Amino acid sequence: MKKYKIDSFTRVSEPIRTPITKIGGQPVWLTKPQWPLSRGWDKRPMMFIGQIELDQQLFPTPNVPVPLMAYLFVTHAQNIEEGFFDPDIIDPDGGENAIIIQPGGELLIDTAPLVNGPTLWDNNGESYEGIPQLQEAQDPAFLDSEAYLLLTEDEQKAYNAEVDGDKIGGVPYFFQGDGWPDDSNWGLLLQLHANFKPFCLQVGASPTIFAFVNEDLTTGKLVIQDS
């Protein structure tokens, strides 16, 4: 299965105002702003993680608009001093994370017409915006937890080496059971180890973010596994 490995992130010096894949900054909305709001914290605006173009090479779906963009959000501290953390961010249906798809996406959470809002920062507390440096590659077919356990130790290591790492597309490297959002048919949009990045994303002790989109590219859900 095709994927784009994320080799690194390049910080930009000027705000990005075109609909391209990026991390941080402010969303470049394709239609009206739809900023998701925390369900449990008095409608507090979530933090913008980034936006990912739904590439037809990764998600070959007929009759969808081009461009098509997924915007990722999570309930988060709004600055480096706040120290806010909500454990419900790991739950795809907990109301503390969201993926907004434009145009034509189905909303699963309350939103507000905010053009700008909370976004990523760096280790100095300054706003961060960057572009992922991508390398085209291939993943093997996904193995569920039962099939994985039937592999030899060497085969498991080989599979892990292929599917682990930061990427757009491909198959997920779950490490706490099969962590799909539900029993629907989902495709992996983003896999991101949140720690040791040029931006601060405080979503667990040693967390991996998994973002998924459904078959017709109208719905997205986000899952976090933390070891």
Side-chain angles (χ1 to χ4, degrees):
M1 181 174 290
K2 185 175 179 179
K3 66 179 177 181
Y4 295 118
K5 293 173 58 179
I6 301 176
D7 291 331
S8 62
F9 296 90
T10 300
R11 191 169 194 162
V12 297
S13 57
E14 296 293 331
I16 294 170
R17 305 191 188 280
T18 54
I20 62 171
T21 296
K22 65 166 188 162
I23 294 291
Q26 296 295 332
V28 181
W29 301 105
L30 292 181
T31 61
K32 64 180 182 180
Q34 296 172 305
W35 203 290
L37 305 174
S38 164
R39 183 178 299 165
W41 294 93
D42 196 28
K43 305 287 187 185
R44 145 189 200 128
M46 294 186 189
M47 171 182 276
F48 177 58
I49 298 174
Q51 62 191 38
I52 302 174
E53 185 175 2
L54 293 172
D55 186 333
Q56 281 289 298
Q57 294 189 57
L58 296 181
F59 306 100
T61 306
N63 303 318
V64 297
V66 177
L68 188 64
M69 192 73 70
Y71 306 84
L72 280 60
F73 297 84
V74 66
T75 299
H76 197 281
Q78 298 190 14
N79 56 65
I80 199 169
E81 292 87 14
E82 187 180 19
F84 175 89
F85 181 80
D86 188 323
D88 288 339
I89 59 175
I90 68 173
D91 181 357
D93 300 306
E96 304 306 335
N97 65 56
I99 298 178
I100 306 296
I101 295 177
Q102 290 188 350
E106 178 185 355
L107 290 179
L108 303 179
I109 198 165
D110 290 343
T111 65
L114 302 176
V115 176
N116 298 326
T119 190
L120 298 178
W121 62 77
D122 62 17
N123 291 325
N124 296 317
E126 301 293 328
S127 294
Y128 179 89
E129 185 173 16
I131 298 173
Q133 302 305 306
L134 305 177
Q135 177 183 344
E136 188 174 324
Q138 293 284 330
D139 268 353
F142 174 72
L143 295 178
D144 62 25
S145 54
E146 291 185 4
Y148 178 82
L149 291 175
L150 295 176
L151 300 178
T152 67
E153 184 176 344
D154 286 344
E155 288 171 335
Q156 289 180 354
K157 289 180 179 178
Y159 179 80
N160 296 348
E162 288 188 275
V163 302
D164 194 8
D166 299 337
K167 59 188 176 182
I168 295 171
V171 301
Y173 176 54
F174 295 130
F175 51 91
Q176 292 180 336
D178 298 331
W180 302 102
D182 54 40
D183 293 334
S184 304
N185 192 4
W186 297 95
L188 180 68
L189 173 62
L190 173 70
Q191 178 173 288
L192 181 70
H193 298 305
N195 291 352
F196 307 110
K197 294 293 186 287
F199 47 85
C200 295
L201 190 52
Q202 299 165 350
V203 292
S206 185
T208 300
I209 295 172
F210 301 93
F212 299 97
V213 289
N214 67 349
E215 285 185 287
D216 60 6
L217 305 185
T218 59
T219 302
K221 289 192 176 185
L222 191 148
V223 174
I224 297 174
Q225 291 190 342
D226 191 14
S227 59

